[in-house]
mmCIF file of all heavy atoms in Angstrom:
data_model
loop_
_atom_site.group_PDB
_atom_site.id
_atom_site.type_symbol
_atom_site.label_atom_id
_atom_site.label_comp_id
_atom_site.label_asym_id
_atom_site.label_seq_id
_atom_site.Cartn_x
_atom_site.Cartn_y
_atom_site.Cartn_z
ATOM 1 N N SER Q 255 101.634 108.484 96.704
ATOM 2 C CA SER Q 255 101.593 108.529 98.167
ATOM 3 C C SER Q 255 101.856 109.949 98.669
ATOM 4 O O SER Q 255 101.205 110.412 99.617
ATOM 5 C CB SER Q 255 102.634 107.563 98.750
ATOM 6 O OG SER Q 255 102.316 106.229 98.429
ATOM 7 N N SER Q 258 98.826 111.956 98.029
ATOM 8 C CA SER Q 258 97.766 111.595 98.978
ATOM 9 C C SER Q 258 97.921 112.363 100.283
ATOM 10 O O SER Q 258 96.922 112.764 100.903
ATOM 11 C CB SER Q 258 97.789 110.089 99.244
ATOM 12 O OG SER Q 258 97.515 109.365 98.059
ATOM 13 N N VAL Q 259 99.160 112.555 100.717
ATOM 14 C CA VAL Q 259 99.400 113.371 101.927
ATOM 15 C C VAL Q 259 98.949 114.803 101.681
ATOM 16 O O VAL Q 259 98.270 115.418 102.526
ATOM 17 C CB VAL Q 259 100.893 113.328 102.313
ATOM 18 C CG1 VAL Q 259 101.171 114.286 103.463
ATOM 19 C CG2 VAL Q 259 101.313 111.909 102.698
ATOM 20 N N LEU Q 260 99.309 115.355 100.525
ATOM 21 C CA LEU Q 260 98.896 116.718 100.177
ATOM 22 C C LEU Q 260 97.378 116.821 100.103
ATOM 23 O O LEU Q 260 96.787 117.816 100.571
ATOM 24 C CB LEU Q 260 99.527 117.124 98.841
ATOM 25 C CG LEU Q 260 99.165 118.514 98.314
ATOM 26 C CD1 LEU Q 260 99.627 119.597 99.282
ATOM 27 C CD2 LEU Q 260 99.778 118.735 96.932
ATOM 28 N N TYR Q 261 96.750 115.809 99.524
ATOM 29 C CA TYR Q 261 95.282 115.808 99.424
ATOM 30 C C TYR Q 261 94.654 115.830 100.816
ATOM 31 O O TYR Q 261 93.693 116.575 101.071
ATOM 32 C CB TYR Q 261 94.824 114.571 98.654
ATOM 33 C CG TYR Q 261 93.333 114.538 98.372
ATOM 34 C CD1 TYR Q 261 92.816 115.090 97.212
ATOM 35 C CD2 TYR Q 261 92.449 113.950 99.275
ATOM 36 C CE1 TYR Q 261 91.456 115.070 96.940
ATOM 37 C CE2 TYR Q 261 91.084 113.916 99.020
ATOM 38 C CZ TYR Q 261 90.593 114.484 97.860
ATOM 39 O OH TYR Q 261 89.238 114.463 97.607
ATOM 40 N N ALA Q 262 95.184 115.017 101.717
ATOM 41 C CA ALA Q 262 94.642 114.969 103.081
ATOM 42 C C ALA Q 262 94.844 116.297 103.793
ATOM 43 O O ALA Q 262 93.957 116.753 104.538
ATOM 44 C CB ALA Q 262 95.310 113.834 103.853
ATOM 45 N N GLU Q 263 95.988 116.941 103.582
ATOM 46 C CA GLU Q 263 96.252 118.238 104.219
ATOM 47 C C GLU Q 263 95.302 119.308 103.682
ATOM 48 O O GLU Q 263 94.781 120.138 104.454
ATOM 49 C CB GLU Q 263 97.705 118.642 103.974
ATOM 50 C CG GLU Q 263 98.705 117.779 104.730
ATOM 51 C CD GLU Q 263 100.145 118.067 104.328
ATOM 52 O OE1 GLU Q 263 100.354 118.733 103.285
ATOM 53 O OE2 GLU Q 263 101.057 117.618 105.032
ATOM 54 N N ARG Q 264 95.073 119.302 102.392
ATOM 55 C CA ARG Q 264 94.164 120.297 101.806
ATOM 56 C C ARG Q 264 92.716 120.018 102.204
ATOM 57 O O ARG Q 264 91.920 120.956 102.352
ATOM 58 C CB ARG Q 264 94.316 120.299 100.288
ATOM 59 C CG ARG Q 264 95.631 120.923 99.839
ATOM 60 C CD ARG Q 264 95.779 121.018 98.341
ATOM 61 N NE ARG Q 264 96.939 121.833 97.982
ATOM 62 C CZ ARG Q 264 97.381 122.041 96.757
ATOM 63 N NH1 ARG Q 264 96.740 121.480 95.735
ATOM 64 N NH2 ARG Q 264 98.441 122.806 96.527
ATOM 65 N N ASN Q 265 92.392 118.759 102.380
ATOM 66 C CA ASN Q 265 91.049 118.431 102.843
ATOM 67 C C ASN Q 265 90.832 118.915 104.277
ATOM 68 O O ASN Q 265 89.746 119.392 104.627
ATOM 69 C CB ASN Q 265 90.819 116.923 102.763
ATOM 70 C CG ASN Q 265 89.410 116.542 103.143
ATOM 71 O OD1 ASN Q 265 88.441 117.087 102.621
ATOM 72 N ND2 ASN Q 265 89.272 115.606 104.056
ATOM 73 N N LEU Q 266 91.872 118.814 105.125
ATOM 74 C CA LEU Q 266 91.768 119.334 106.500
ATOM 75 C C LEU Q 266 91.548 120.844 106.476
ATOM 76 O O LEU Q 266 90.708 121.373 107.232
ATOM 77 C CB LEU Q 266 93.032 119.002 107.289
ATOM 78 C CG LEU Q 266 93.109 119.598 108.707
ATOM 79 C CD1 LEU Q 266 91.957 119.084 109.566
ATOM 80 C CD2 LEU Q 266 94.453 119.285 109.351
ATOM 81 N N GLN Q 269 87.963 121.416 105.551
ATOM 82 C CA GLN Q 269 87.020 121.059 106.611
ATOM 83 C C GLN Q 269 87.029 122.095 107.737
ATOM 84 O O GLN Q 269 85.987 122.375 108.335
ATOM 85 C CB GLN Q 269 87.335 119.667 107.167
ATOM 86 C CG GLN Q 269 87.177 118.547 106.153
ATOM 87 C CD GLN Q 269 85.805 118.541 105.488
ATOM 88 O OE1 GLN Q 269 84.792 118.844 106.125
ATOM 89 N NE2 GLN Q 269 85.773 118.209 104.200
ATOM 90 N N GLY Q 310 83.398 116.454 113.482
ATOM 91 C CA GLY Q 310 83.652 115.088 113.024
ATOM 92 C C GLY Q 310 84.499 115.040 111.766
ATOM 93 O O GLY Q 310 85.455 114.251 111.673
ATOM 94 N N GLU Q 311 84.162 115.867 110.779
ATOM 95 C CA GLU Q 311 84.919 115.865 109.526
ATOM 96 C C GLU Q 311 86.336 116.363 109.724
ATOM 97 O O GLU Q 311 87.274 115.895 109.066
ATOM 98 C CB GLU Q 311 84.198 116.715 108.478
ATOM 99 C CG GLU Q 311 82.854 116.160 108.036
ATOM 100 C CD GLU Q 311 82.982 114.770 107.444
ATOM 101 O OE1 GLU Q 311 83.963 114.528 106.706
ATOM 102 O OE2 GLU Q 311 82.113 113.925 107.715
ATOM 103 N N ILE Q 312 86.507 117.317 110.641
ATOM 104 C CA ILE Q 312 87.861 117.815 110.928
ATOM 105 C C ILE Q 312 88.718 116.707 111.544
ATOM 106 O O ILE Q 312 89.878 116.519 111.172
ATOM 107 C CB ILE Q 312 87.796 119.038 111.867
ATOM 108 C CG1 ILE Q 312 87.183 120.232 111.121
ATOM 109 C CG2 ILE Q 312 89.177 119.401 112.397
ATOM 110 C CD1 ILE Q 312 86.926 121.444 111.984
ATOM 111 N N LYS Q 313 88.121 115.946 112.462
ATOM 112 C CA LYS Q 313 88.876 114.845 113.071
ATOM 113 C C LYS Q 313 89.222 113.779 112.031
ATOM 114 O O LYS Q 313 90.345 113.249 112.005
ATOM 115 C CB LYS Q 313 88.060 114.228 114.206
ATOM 116 C CG LYS Q 313 88.802 113.125 114.941
ATOM 117 C CD LYS Q 313 88.011 112.599 116.133
ATOM 118 C CE LYS Q 313 88.806 111.503 116.850
ATOM 119 N NZ LYS Q 313 88.074 110.984 118.034
ATOM 120 N N LYS Q 314 88.260 113.449 111.172
ATOM 121 C CA LYS Q 314 88.524 112.471 110.109
ATOM 122 C C LYS Q 314 89.658 112.945 109.203
ATOM 123 O O LYS Q 314 90.507 112.143 108.786
ATOM 124 C CB LYS Q 314 87.261 112.246 109.273
ATOM 125 C CG LYS Q 314 86.230 111.347 109.939
ATOM 126 C CD LYS Q 314 84.922 111.340 109.179
ATOM 127 C CE LYS Q 314 85.085 110.875 107.760
ATOM 128 N NZ LYS Q 314 83.784 110.836 107.039
ATOM 129 N N ALA Q 315 89.682 114.242 108.885
ATOM 130 C CA ALA Q 315 90.730 114.773 108.017
ATOM 131 C C ALA Q 315 92.100 114.673 108.683
ATOM 132 O O ALA Q 315 93.100 114.369 108.024
ATOM 133 C CB ALA Q 315 90.415 116.214 107.650
ATOM 134 N N ARG Q 316 92.146 114.923 110.006
ATOM 135 C CA ARG Q 316 93.423 114.806 110.727
ATOM 136 C C ARG Q 316 93.922 113.356 110.724
ATOM 137 O O ARG Q 316 95.113 113.096 110.530
ATOM 138 C CB ARG Q 316 93.266 115.312 112.164
ATOM 139 C CG ARG Q 316 93.145 116.833 112.279
ATOM 140 C CD ARG Q 316 93.401 117.284 113.706
ATOM 141 N NE ARG Q 316 93.407 118.734 113.813
ATOM 142 C CZ ARG Q 316 92.441 119.460 114.370
ATOM 143 N NH1 ARG Q 316 91.368 118.841 114.874
ATOM 144 N NH2 ARG Q 316 92.532 120.761 114.443
ATOM 145 N N VAL Q 317 93.008 112.425 110.960
ATOM 146 C CA VAL Q 317 93.381 111.011 110.940
ATOM 147 C C VAL Q 317 93.851 110.598 109.542
ATOM 148 O O VAL Q 317 94.799 109.814 109.402
ATOM 149 C CB VAL Q 317 92.194 110.138 111.393
ATOM 150 C CG1 VAL Q 317 92.513 108.656 111.207
ATOM 151 C CG2 VAL Q 317 91.853 110.415 112.862
ATOM 152 N N ALA Q 318 93.200 111.139 108.522
ATOM 153 C CA ALA Q 318 93.581 110.815 107.144
ATOM 154 C C ALA Q 318 95.007 111.271 106.839
ATOM 155 O O ALA Q 318 95.740 110.595 106.105
ATOM 156 C CB ALA Q 318 92.600 111.448 106.164
ATOM 157 N N ILE Q 319 95.413 112.406 107.402
ATOM 158 C CA ILE Q 319 96.782 112.881 107.211
ATOM 159 C C ILE Q 319 97.777 111.900 107.829
ATOM 160 O O ILE Q 319 98.785 111.535 107.213
ATOM 161 C CB ILE Q 319 96.962 114.286 107.822
ATOM 162 C CG1 ILE Q 319 96.178 115.321 107.002
ATOM 163 C CG2 ILE Q 319 98.437 114.677 107.865
ATOM 164 C CD1 ILE Q 319 96.223 116.712 107.577
ATOM 165 N N GLU Q 320 97.498 111.466 109.044
ATOM 166 C CA GLU Q 320 98.384 110.519 109.718
ATOM 167 C C GLU Q 320 98.467 109.208 108.932
ATOM 168 O O GLU Q 320 99.556 108.628 108.778
ATOM 169 C CB GLU Q 320 97.897 110.257 111.137
ATOM 170 C CG GLU Q 320 97.973 111.494 112.047
ATOM 171 C CD GLU Q 320 97.396 111.225 113.432
ATOM 172 O OE1 GLU Q 320 96.998 110.065 113.698
ATOM 173 O OE2 GLU Q 320 97.352 112.162 114.240
ATOM 174 N N ALA Q 321 97.333 108.749 108.430
ATOM 175 C CA ALA Q 321 97.315 107.498 107.657
ATOM 176 C C ALA Q 321 98.109 107.661 106.361
ATOM 177 O O ALA Q 321 98.857 106.757 105.964
ATOM 178 C CB ALA Q 321 95.874 107.094 107.353
ATOM 179 N N ALA Q 322 97.959 108.803 105.696
ATOM 180 C CA ALA Q 322 98.669 109.040 104.439
ATOM 181 C C ALA Q 322 100.176 109.141 104.678
ATOM 182 O O ALA Q 322 100.977 108.644 103.873
ATOM 183 C CB ALA Q 322 98.153 110.309 103.774
ATOM 184 N N GLN Q 323 100.566 109.777 105.776
ATOM 185 C CA GLN Q 323 101.994 109.877 106.098
ATOM 186 C C GLN Q 323 102.579 108.508 106.417
ATOM 187 O O GLN Q 323 103.715 108.195 106.028
ATOM 188 C CB GLN Q 323 102.194 110.843 107.269
ATOM 189 C CG GLN Q 323 101.946 112.307 106.900
ATOM 190 C CD GLN Q 323 101.976 113.232 108.096
ATOM 191 O OE1 GLN Q 323 101.792 112.791 109.249
ATOM 192 N NE2 GLN Q 323 102.203 114.510 107.862
ATOM 193 N N ASN Q 324 101.808 107.682 107.133
ATOM 194 C CA ASN Q 324 102.265 106.325 107.435
ATOM 195 C C ASN Q 324 102.416 105.509 106.150
ATOM 196 O O ASN Q 324 103.385 104.763 105.975
ATOM 197 C CB ASN Q 324 101.274 105.646 108.374
ATOM 198 C CG ASN Q 324 101.672 104.215 108.701
ATOM 199 O OD1 ASN Q 324 102.619 103.973 109.438
ATOM 200 N ND2 ASN Q 324 100.948 103.249 108.146
ATOM 201 N N ASN Q 325 101.465 105.668 105.236
ATOM 202 C CA ASN Q 325 101.538 104.960 103.960
ATOM 203 C C ASN Q 325 102.736 105.426 103.134
ATOM 204 O O ASN Q 325 103.392 104.613 102.463
ATOM 205 C CB ASN Q 325 100.248 105.184 103.174
ATOM 206 C CG ASN Q 325 100.233 104.441 101.851
ATOM 207 O OD1 ASN Q 325 100.243 103.216 101.809
ATOM 208 N ND2 ASN Q 325 100.224 105.195 100.754
ATOM 209 N N LEU Q 326 103.050 106.720 103.212
ATOM 210 C CA LEU Q 326 104.207 107.249 102.491
ATOM 211 C C LEU Q 326 105.501 106.643 103.031
ATOM 212 O O LEU Q 326 106.384 106.253 102.262
ATOM 213 C CB LEU Q 326 104.237 108.775 102.603
ATOM 214 C CG LEU Q 326 105.457 109.475 101.994
ATOM 215 C CD1 LEU Q 326 105.578 109.158 100.500
ATOM 216 C CD2 LEU Q 326 105.373 110.984 102.217
#
Side-chain angles (χ1 to χ4, degrees):
S255 295
S258 297
V259 174
L260 178 62
Y261 186 90
E263 290 172 346
R264 288 183 170 176
N265 184 52
L266 175 61
Q269 296 306 324
E311 294 301 320
I312 291 174
K313 183 176 181 179
K314 282 171 59 178
R316 287 197 175 107
V317 173
I319 291 176
E320 294 176 3
Q323 289 173 339
N324 178 72
N325 182 65
L326 175 59

